[in-house]
């Protein structure tokens, strides 16, 4: 009777309960030089034990692991094992893990820059010097083989003067997307960038700048410009506002018949053209 009473009291005061924990998932037995992919870092484990044990338990007391001994490169479905010395393991989720095992590999790549942002008006980035020029990429063989290049994203937003930036390097694949599961050594590169004034060359029409009026009895029949268009080089912001280039003044009051007048171009400041003068051919007729 005393024994039964003791068991009853213990069961009432310290009953057997169940509780779930999120525990770290370890890998064991993996061969040297190999890497594991797609395996979760944690799993859910439900255990059973007395209330006194589970009430103060440290989740690290429960060990969940994958036994990868003698496994080769390729896809594997591995059952999660679990040890809980102070009770019973009831459930593991996920119970089976689909993972990929690959050998580690390293490869050297040249560092290139990728321009990001828009600089101050009429400026662009010119010469760039990257240090180091070459880095090492480490990781799983199939991932390293998929790397196309290593880039240093160079932000030139609102830059006006030459500058030096220390940039985290990124390994990217053929699709241009970052591959974060790889290690780049060294991880940071110094980029010296020189800002230069940007110039654009385009075709612009020529417009005759006619002043005065023709003598009495004459009227203007035709105005021809040679050349009618010319190539000019200027900052982009200036070209956006320019639709034509005017000639020097041509005084109609001095015209007494058909004439060809050679006049200089009135090029705005900052504009360059290989043509300095144009011919204004005036055709008149009697009213």
């Amino acid at each position: 009777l005393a024994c039964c009473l003791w068991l009853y009291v213990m069961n009432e005061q310290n009953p057997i309960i169940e509780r779930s924990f999120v525990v770290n998932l370890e890998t064991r037995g993996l061969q040297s030089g190999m890497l594991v992919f797609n395996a979760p870092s944690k799993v859910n484990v439900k255990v059973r034990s007395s209330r006194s044990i589970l009430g103060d338990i440290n989740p690290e007391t429960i060990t969940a692991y994958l036994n990868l001994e003698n496994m080769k490169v390729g896809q594997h479905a591995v059952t999660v094992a679990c040890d809980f010395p102070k009770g019973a393991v009831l459930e593991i989720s996920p119970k089976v893990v689909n993972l990929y095992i690959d050998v580690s590999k390293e490869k050297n790549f040249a560092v290139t820059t990728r321009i990001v942002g828009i600089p101050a008006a009429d400026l662009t980035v010119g010469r760039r010097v990257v240090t180091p020029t070459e880095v090492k990429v480490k990781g799983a063989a199939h991932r390293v083989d998929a790397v196309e290049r290593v880039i240093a994203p160079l932000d030139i937003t609102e830059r006006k003067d030459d500058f030096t930036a220390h940039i985290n390097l990124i390994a990217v694949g053929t699709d241009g997307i970052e591959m974060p599961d790889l290690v780049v050594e060294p991880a940071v590169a110094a980029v010296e960038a020189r800002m230069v004034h940007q110039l654009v060359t385009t075709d612009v029409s020529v417009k005759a700048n006619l002043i005065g009026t023709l003598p009495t009895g004459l009227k203007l029949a035709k105005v021809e410009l040679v050349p009618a268009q010319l190539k000019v080089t200027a900052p982009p912001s200036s070209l956006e506002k320019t639709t034509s280039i005017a000639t020097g003044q041509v005084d109609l009051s001095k015209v007494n018949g058909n004439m060809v007048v050679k006049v200089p171009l009135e090029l705005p400041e900052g504009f360059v053209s290989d043509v300095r003068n144009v011919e204004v051919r005036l055709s008149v007729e009697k009213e």
Side-chain angles (χ1 to χ4, degrees), residues 202-210 223-232 242-250 261-268 271-281:
T202 188
D203 291 328
V204 178
S205 60
V206 182
K207 182 179 179 180
N209 184 11
L210 305 178
V223 178
E224 185 181 0
L225 295 165
V226 181
Q229 279 193 332
L230 51 90
K231 287 188 180 295
V232 295
T242 304
T243 57
S244 62
I245 301 294
T247 67
Q249 293 181 347
V250 178
V261 184
K262 197 169 187 178
V263 292
L265 287 169
E266 297 291 339
L267 289 172
F271 280 63
V272 177
S273 173
D274 55 353
V275 176
R276 296 293 182 180
N277 301 296
V278 295
E279 289 183 357
V280 181
R281 300 178 181 179

Side-chain angles (χ1 to χ4, degrees), residues 24-32 36 39 60-71 78-79 81-85 99 101:
N24 295 326
L25 181 62
E26 304 174 2
T27 56
R28 296 180 181 179
L30 186 66
Q31 297 181 48
S32 177
V36 178
E60 294 181 359
T61 307
I62 305 171
T63 305
Y65 61 93
L66 299 169
N67 186 2
L68 305 180
E69 190 173 356
N70 298 325
M71 288 192 177
V78 184
T79 301
C82 187
D83 293 334
F84 180 45
L99 53 81
I101 297 178

Side-chain angles (χ1 to χ4, degrees), residues 11-286:
N11 187 60
E12 288 295 319
Q13 297 299 318
N14 191 23
I16 301 299
I17 62 173
E18 298 175 359
R19 186 176 173 188
S20 295
F21 296 90
V22 177
V23 299
N24 295 326
L25 181 62
E26 304 174 2
T27 56
R28 296 180 181 179
L30 186 66
Q31 297 181 48
S32 177
M34 286 190 167
L35 301 172
V36 178
F37 289 87
N38 302 332
S41 60
K42 298 180 183 294
V43 291
N44 292 303
V45 178
K46 180 186 284 188
V47 296
R48 176 188 292 153
S49 188
S50 63
R51 178 187 292 171
S52 60
I53 291 176
L54 294 184
D56 299 326
I57 191 174
N58 186 334
E60 294 181 359
T61 307
I62 305 171
T63 305
Y65 61 93
L66 299 169
N67 186 2
L68 305 180
E69 190 173 356
N70 298 325
M71 288 192 177
K72 298 181 180 180
V73 173
Q75 194 79 28
H76 300 272
V78 184
T79 301
V80 179
C82 187
D83 293 334
F84 180 45
K86 296 184 178 182
V89 177
L90 301 180
E91 184 180 329
I92 305 171
S93 179
K95 180 61 177 177
V96 178
V97 172
N98 291 309
L99 53 81
Y100 188 86
I101 297 178
D102 201 355
V103 294
S104 60
K105 183 178 180 179
E106 59 183 50
K107 186 177 178 181
N108 292 337
F109 289 87
V111 180
T112 59
T113 56
R114 176 185 287 175
I115 304 303
V116 179
I118 301 175
D122 299 332
L123 290 171
T124 188
V125 64
R127 183 170 176 263
R128 285 151 280 170
V129 178
V130 183
T131 307
T133 58
E134 189 176 83
V135 294
K136 186 176 295 183
V137 176
K138 297 180 179 180
H142 76 283
R143 295 293 286 165
V144 173
D145 291 338
V147 176
E148 183 182 55
R149 61 189 183 278
V150 174
I151 62 169
L154 184 62
D155 189 355
I156 60 172
T157 303
E158 293 301 321
R159 291 283 189 178
K160 298 180 181 179
D161 304 311
D162 301 347
F163 66 97
T164 299
H166 292 84
I167 302 171
N168 292 324
L169 299 177
I170 300 173
V172 297
T174 54
D175 53 4
I177 298 177
E178 179 182 356
M179 304 176 70
D181 54 344
L182 297 174
V183 176
V184 180
E185 294 181 352
V188 178
V191 181
E192 299 177 23
R194 182 181 180 186
M195 302 303 295
V196 296
H197 287 278
Q198 187 178 15
L199 296 175
V200 176
T201 300
T202 188
D203 291 328
V204 178
S205 60
V206 182
K207 182 179 179 180
N209 184 11
L210 305 178
I211 63 170
T213 56
L214 288 169
T216 304
L218 294 178
K219 67 177 181 179
L220 194 60
K222 185 179 179 182
V223 178
E224 185 181 0
L225 295 165
V226 181
Q229 279 193 332
L230 51 90
K231 287 188 180 295
V232 295
T233 301
S237 61
S238 299
L239 284 175
E240 288 177 0
K241 306 170 186 177
T242 304
T243 57
S244 62
I245 301 294
T247 67
Q249 293 181 347
V250 178
D251 191 353
L252 295 179
S253 63
K254 300 179 180 179
V255 176
N256 52 18
N258 295 336
M259 293 181 62
V260 176
V261 184
K262 197 169 187 178
V263 292
L265 287 169
E266 297 291 339
L267 289 172
E269 185 177 355
F271 280 63
V272 177
S273 173
D274 55 353
V275 176
R276 296 293 182 180
N277 301 296
V278 295
E279 289 183 357
V280 181
R281 300 178 181 179
L282 303 174
S283 298
V284 298
E285 58 186 27
K286 292 182 179 181

